[in-house]
Amino acid sequence: MTNDHQTTPTEPTGKGLRPGALGMASSVILATASAAPAYSLAATLTFIVAYVGFQAPVIVLLAFVPILFVSFGYAALNRADPDCGTIFTWASRVLGPRVGFMGGWAIIASFVLVMGSLAQVAGQYVFLLFGADDIGSDASSPWVLLVGLGWIALMGLVCYRGIEVAAAVQRVLLYVEFAMLAIFAGVALVKAYSGNGAPGSETPHWSWFNPFAIDSANSFVSALVLMLFIYWGWETAVTVTEETADARRIPGRAATMSTILLLALYLGATVATLAFAGIGSTGVGLTNPENSGDVFSALGHAVFGGSGIGSVAYHLLVLMVLTSAAASTETTILTLGRTMLSMSSFGAIPKAFSRIHPRYRVPTVGTILTALAGATFYVIMNFLADGQVIGDAVSSCGLMIAFYYGLTGLTSAWAHRGVAGGARVRWMRCILPAIGGLVLVAAGLWSLRNNWSPESSYTTWTLPFGPHWEIGGVFIIGVLTMLLGLVLMAIWSRRAPEFFDEGLPPLDADDLGREPVGQERA
């Protein structure tokens, strides 16, 4: 199968992937699992609570709005051009090849950087699951590193065996995650309402949804930025568009549905955790710094008890975070392989990345190199500053996520600006995606400003000459990573200038004017 074969109007141009392998349910599962909801909440909720206290639920709601708006942009662009390169391809067609390249680079860099953290969490939770708390609590333990590398290899193998196998594994992992989040939230709420919560427990109240109760603008924005980025990952549904039945409709719809599902998960778990634990700084209180990296492990015994069924439930809760990290590792490898496949097929990176396995119909070089790159960076970061660089690397992804999410919203608005249609078309394809894109770009710039401060990072670097600024590690990693993308683009544009000189054909006007989902022209 070649890149220029003719297809029907409702199918994307093939790159050798397996068409029609996924349906709506599988697409939603892949998209939701990519966000690693249990892991994201475990690692982030306490920081959000530290900023806004009991107002955390309203932050969950407000952060959802720009994410939803950007998902409309993904759906609109995918409807016009179903391509596994997503924003790389769309921005290249609409805004130019260099903008598109940087959109693709932001995806690649953020996913490679986050893989070390996901593998580390998976490694730690294997030991916690089996009661080896001394090893599991030491993030930089060589045993944790070894198991984490094993998880990357295992998830890479799953992705290599084909999209159907990857989707089946995701289904099982996500069921475990959803079930335990629901059980945890239910038990925590029952105990809070019955007066059996932890010290500082509070009955849920509508005042928790009042944003005006947050007395600091800086705290409000900082919490909102944190929450925006734990929605990250749902666009996987669009990345596998060329392997999805009805590729112009299902991926975009699945992406939007997954954001709504994530909202429900995050909101329920946040309210339940706040109600049971409170915001105290001792015990299981959510502002206790000892619980900052893993709220569910800290709360597990308090919610379920320490013996009998409670012990089983606690270990299932640990398993939940483990499967969440493992599932996200899998979708990270899956997404990057396809992003690089698209970039390679258009000449933006070496042609080797467009190789497809003849039997499994997956990007062979991209899948293997993604796993190897993630493992390599994990090893390097594990030995820098006692592993603290991993936390800063994950935080630095916020800049890249804001860039390519924001770019997608703005690309959709610009592409559809002259398309004829009613009010619904203008709002869903132009106005709302533009608003979402602008909010996310502003959030990225805000986080960049905050990350300059060494207080925002685990590691710091001091300028070796005057004025000897001390700069946060998150800022350094984020900015250097984006600058590296510019350098690589400059190098490759000299070696293979065709893509950068000629660009890609613009989006077809008929496809841009396609009627909303469910109302396509015959």
Side-chain angles (χ1 to χ4, degrees):
M1 186 179 293
T2 61
N3 290 341
D4 57 356
H5 80 291
Q6 296 298 312
T7 59
T8 65
T10 57
E11 293 298 327
T13 302
K15 298 179 179 65
L17 299 169
R18 193 182 302 281
L22 303 174
M24 174 64 79
S26 295
S27 296
V28 173
I29 286 170
L30 283 172
T32 309
S34 295
Y39 160 73
S40 299
L41 280 172
T44 310
L45 183 57
T46 56
F47 296 105
I48 294 173
V49 172
Y51 282 122
V52 298
F54 282 112
Q55 280 9 87
V58 76
I59 295 296
V60 176
L61 280 174
L62 293 176
F64 165 74
V65 175
I67 293 295
L68 179 67
F69 290 174
V70 167
S71 79
F72 295 154
Y74 269 91
L77 290 167
N78 182 75
R79 190 180 298 120
D81 182 23
D83 190 281
C84 61
T86 61
I87 187 54
F88 155 72
T89 309
W90 303 329
S92 295
R93 294 190 189 282
V94 175
L95 302 175
R98 285 172 172 76
V99 177
F101 181 94
M102 289 305 297
W105 170 253
I107 297 175
I108 294 170
S110 58
F111 276 64
V112 169
L113 287 174
V114 82
M115 205 182 304
S117 175
L118 294 169
Q120 185 185 69
V121 169
Q124 287 182 264
Y125 270 77
V126 166
F127 291 103
L128 293 174
L129 183 64
F130 292 101
D133 294 355
D134 290 343
I135 299 176
S137 60
D138 182 4
S140 59
S141 165
W143 294 108
V144 169
L145 174 64
L146 184 63
V147 174
L149 291 173
W151 274 110
I152 292 177
L154 178 60
M155 293 300 103
L157 179 62
V158 168
C159 292
Y160 190 82
R161 286 288 282 107
I163 190 67
E164 297 96 336
V165 175
V169 171
Q170 283 291 349
R171 188 176 297 112
V172 174
L173 295 177
L174 195 64
Y175 286 166
V176 173
E177 191 172 355
F178 272 33
M180 283 312 303
L181 267 178
I183 292 170
F184 170 82
V187 174
L189 281 174
V190 167
K191 288 194 170 185
Y193 273 108
S194 63
N196 295 314
S201 175
E202 294 273 351
T203 302
H205 195 274
W206 287 113
S207 64
W208 295 3
F209 294 89
N210 177 16
F212 300 105
I214 302 171
D215 57 8
S216 166
N218 185 68
S219 295
F220 172 81
V221 176
S222 296
L224 189 68
V225 167
L226 276 176
M227 191 67 221
L228 279 171
F229 299 135
I230 74 170
Y231 279 101
W232 175 37
W234 49 266
E235 75 278 7
T236 296
V238 187
T239 304
V240 295
T241 186
E242 296 182 50
E243 296 153 281
T244 306
D246 198 353
R248 291 189 186 270
R249 296 198 296 176
I250 286 180
R253 184 182 295 176
T256 299
M257 288 179 61
S258 70
T259 65
I260 297 170
L261 189 55
L262 286 170
L263 170 66
L265 283 171
Y266 289 152
L267 196 57
T270 298
V271 170
T273 305
L274 269 174
F276 178 85
I279 59 174
S281 59
T282 59
V284 297
L286 294 182
T287 58
N288 184 345
E290 294 182 3
N291 304 333
S292 61
D294 182 3
V295 64
F296 292 131
S297 179
L299 283 172
H301 284 306
V303 171
F304 294 121
S307 61
I309 296 177
S311 179
V312 173
Y314 167 77
H315 283 88
L316 287 174
L317 193 69
V318 172
L319 180 63
M320 172 191 73
V321 181
L322 169 60
T323 58
S324 180
S328 191
T329 303
E330 179 192 334
T331 53
T332 295
I333 297 171
L334 183 148
T335 296
L336 284 195
R338 284 148 182 81
T339 299
M340 290 188 287
L341 167 65
S342 181
M343 295 179 74
S344 174
S345 68
F346 290 115
I349 60 175
K351 285 293 182 184
F353 288 95
S354 61
R355 293 176 186 167
I356 297 292
H357 194 283
R359 178 181 176 187
Y360 302 135
R361 309 285 289 275
V362 299
T364 52
V365 175
T367 299
I368 293 170
L369 285 187
T370 294
L372 288 174
T376 301
F377 274 91
Y378 176 32
V379 171
I380 293 171
M381 291 187 295
N382 187 75
F383 291 105
L384 293 176
D386 295 323
Q388 298 298 313
V389 175
I390 292 178
D392 286 349
V394 174
S395 297
S396 72
C397 292
L399 175 63
M400 291 155 252
I401 299 163
F403 174 71
Y404 80 81
Y405 272 7
L407 181 61
T408 303
L410 297 174
T411 299
S412 177
W414 189 255
H416 293 92
R417 70 193 185 281
V419 173
R424 184 180 186 276
V425 170
R426 289 195 298 274
W427 280 95
M428 297 294 286
R429 303 183 192 182
C430 292
I431 300 173
L432 295 182
I435 293 171
L438 289 171
V439 169
L440 286 161
V441 169
L445 293 174
W446 179 278
S447 65
L448 190 64
R449 169 184 170 275
N450 278 2
N451 291 338
W452 173 274
S453 169
E455 295 178 358
S456 66
S457 305
Y458 293 108
T459 61
T460 61
W461 179 74
T462 302
L463 201 65
F465 48 83
H468 301 293
W469 289 322
E470 188 178 12
I471 307 170
V474 175
F475 181 94
I476 295 295
I477 296 172
V479 171
L480 288 183
T481 299
M482 292 302 287
L483 289 176
L484 176 61
L486 291 172
V487 171
L488 293 175
M489 180 174 67
I491 293 172
W492 189 247
S493 65
R494 287 180 175 274
R495 295 192 58 184
E498 293 82 8
F499 167 75
F500 299 94
D501 291 344
E502 300 174 11
L504 299 182
L507 289 174
D508 186 84
D510 288 337
D511 284 332
L512 285 171
R514 188 180 294 272
E515 293 300 316
V517 170
Q519 303 177 36
E520 282 86 354
R521 298 184 300 273

